[in-house]
Amino acid sequence: MHPKAFYPHGVLPFPRVKSLPCRVVVGGFFGDEGKGKIISYLALRDKPDIVVRGGVGPNAGHTVEFKGEKYFLRMIPSGFIYEGAQLLIGAGVLVNPRVLLDEVERLRCGSRLGLDPQCAIIEERHIEEEARSSHLVEKIGSTKSGIGTCSADRVMRRAKMARDLPELSPYIRDVPLEVNRTLDRGGVVLVEGTQGTYLSLYHGTYPYCTAKDVCASAILSDIGLGPTRVDDVLVVFKAYVTRVGAGPLKGELPREEVLRRGWMEYGTVTRRERRAAPFDFELARRAVMLNGATEVAVTKLDLVYPECRGARRYEDLPEEAARFIRDVEESVGVPVVLVGTGPDAGDIIDRGTHK
Ligand code: GTP
Ligand code: MG
């Protein structure tokens, strides 16, 4: 067969222009590391042509704060904040059309949105069925978003696809083709993961995990991008560890201690209280390995070292906080390139890329 037959749009794989950075951002603990804030900062800084989301589905919750506005996102990529970016959702993502269309309206980003025709659709019956499953709700601590039941239907090849729903037709796009073509012509692509490494179905704390793998290579597979096309993998850690729902959490602090330290958080999707523990170097080291990280971000440093609040230069960090960052680097073996020092997308120390 002529190779062109594989490329209906007439694009041949070679020769290929050397791509500008394509960066994948994933969580290094149990989700809620503050990926939303890191991604929104990177989108504003790097002005990507495309921000594309892989990951699980609307069981994810990201909070983005920018210029006094607070946005909660479950389906739209957190990089929406940069208005020049196309916002794509890869085939691996499970889509709840109600949640998606509601966000499109709220953020007025419909003209920039592209959805892979093969995103599986979460129906009301998936949510109802999940809510009735004491295994998922009581034992695992599911967010009741219909992720488990919809994933099961997808594996059984009976889930509906985005291409089957007329209300989604304005948004259907060839996501892998657009992402790869943009890189071919030297464009910038920012890839967003969801959840965190230890919620991975394969490498996480099974059975207390989500319904898919969420490590960097899985996120690439979700969007149809091969691993050779990626320049950087950024793993995001919070300066302490939290987890929502059941499952092991080493060093877990009693609730009163979590409150005393100001580390109490509430789930973005479920509003449930999160459990918390101090930073876990061992988990961090392993997350860097599992994701092939080239760089790391640490968020919420100001919640462990309050004097850091709002700092924008590494030199302004108190010695103790700077030592913690150095300890993280030494322990995981890759540089900490971004440090979160406050809630706004701009409250960040940017130490530049390591290259
Ligand atoms: P992901 O699911 O990883 O995207 O994180 P999330 O948005 O669920 O994180 P979480 O709900 O824990 O935290 C979000 C809130 O923390 C938002 O209001 C952010 O603005 C804020 N936040 C993010 N990074 C920092 C930081 O470095 N310092 C402080 N004080 N707040 C931060
Ligand atoms: Mg979250």
Side-chain angles (χ1 to χ4, degrees), residues 242-257:
T242 58
R243 110 169 267 175
V244 69
L249 178 60
K250 209 179 80 195
E252 180 169 1
L253 298 167
R255 185 173 179 275
E256 310 73 63
E257 181 59 18

Side-chain angles (χ1 to χ4, degrees), residues 31-35 59-63 195 267-269 274:
D32 306 320
E33 297 91 353
K35 294 179 293 296
N59 55 338
H62 305 288
T63 312
Q195 273 74 24
T268 320
V269 177
R274 291 178 185 157

Side-chain angles (χ1 to χ4, degrees), residues 44-341:
L44 293 166
R45 185 191 76 179
D46 297 344
K47 303 185 171 37
D49 301 277
I50 290 177
V51 185
V52 53
R53 214 197 107 158
V56 185
N59 55 338
H62 305 288
T63 312
V64 173
E65 290 190 36
F66 183 53
K67 292 191 174 158
E69 292 281 336
K70 212 167 177 173
Y71 307 90
F72 298 103
L73 306 162
R74 293 171 65 190
M75 296 259 41
I76 298 287
S78 306
F80 82 95
I81 206 94
Y82 169 58
E83 291 181 357
Q86 295 295 304
L87 307 171
L88 305 183
I89 300 180
V93 178
L94 309 177
V95 168
N96 179 326
R98 189 170 42 75
V99 176
L100 177 75
L101 296 173
D102 177 61
E103 280 177 25
V104 166
E105 198 179 304
R106 219 159 16 92
L107 306 172
R108 293 196 187 84
C109 62
S111 60
R112 300 195 276 145
L113 178 66
L115 199 59
D116 195 289
Q118 304 224 77
C119 290
I121 296 298
I122 300 172
E123 299 173 60
E124 287 307 316
R125 66 184 175 86
H126 289 128
I127 298 170
E128 286 158 18
E129 199 185 322
E130 197 152 297
R132 282 196 305 270
S133 160
S134 61
H135 170 69
L136 285 180
V137 174
E138 279 147 41
K139 177 155 186 239
I140 308 300
S142 144
T143 64
K144 295 185 246 179
S145 313
I147 298 293
T149 39
C150 178
S151 294
D153 272 357
R154 180 181 219 161
V155 172
M156 296 303 285
R157 276 84 86 204
R158 60 187 176 206
K160 277 191 187 147
M161 302 270 103
R163 63 177 180 237
D164 301 327
L165 269 61
E167 68 265 39
L168 296 181
S169 60
Y171 306 112
I172 299 298
R173 306 244 290 263
D174 188 335
V175 170
L177 186 73
E178 292 199 19
V179 169
N180 281 280
R181 240 188 204 172
T182 296
L183 290 173
D184 285 341
R185 62 167 178 75
V188 176
V189 173
L190 182 57
V191 184
E192 298 188 19
T194 64
Q195 273 74 24
T197 301
Y198 297 101
L199 294 179
S200 160
L201 181 64
Y202 297 162
H203 304 292
T205 51
Y206 187 92
Y208 304 102
C209 58
T210 191
K212 293 178 56 188
D213 183 17
V214 289
C215 295
S217 39
I219 302 298
L220 294 177
S221 157
D222 287 341
I223 65 169
L225 188 66
T228 54
R229 308 231 56 188
V230 173
D231 300 276
D232 276 303
V233 176
L234 173 71
V235 173
V236 183
F237 297 113
K238 189 151 59 183
Y240 48 96
V241 185
T242 58
R243 110 169 267 175
V244 69
L249 178 60
K250 209 179 80 195
E252 180 169 1
L253 298 167
R255 185 173 179 275
E256 310 73 63
E257 181 59 18
V258 177
L259 287 166
R260 196 189 65 76
R261 295 189 186 201
W263 292 358
M264 183 53 84
E265 298 176 356
Y266 302 88
T268 320
V269 177
T270 57
R271 309 312 303 161
R272 280 181 295 184
E273 280 189 359
R274 291 178 185 157
R275 302 152 59 202
F279 192 87
D280 187 329
F281 288 89
E282 208 180 306
L283 280 189
R285 193 161 42 238
R286 189 170 173 80
V288 161
M289 174 187 82
L290 288 167
N291 291 289
T294 57
E295 46 187 27
V296 157
V298 175
T299 62
K300 299 202 177 182
L301 190 66
D302 55 304
L303 287 168
V304 179
Y305 306 99
E307 323 84 273
C308 295
R309 179 95 185 196
R312 302 209 172 180
R313 295 186 328 165
Y314 186 70
E315 300 75 58
D316 295 340
L317 289 182
E319 177 47 32
E320 216 188 339
R323 192 173 337 116
F324 170 69
I325 297 296
R326 281 200 303 276
D327 287 348
V328 173
E329 285 186 328
E330 252 168 52
S331 166
V332 303
V334 297
V336 175
V337 294
L338 297 170
V339 179
T341 57

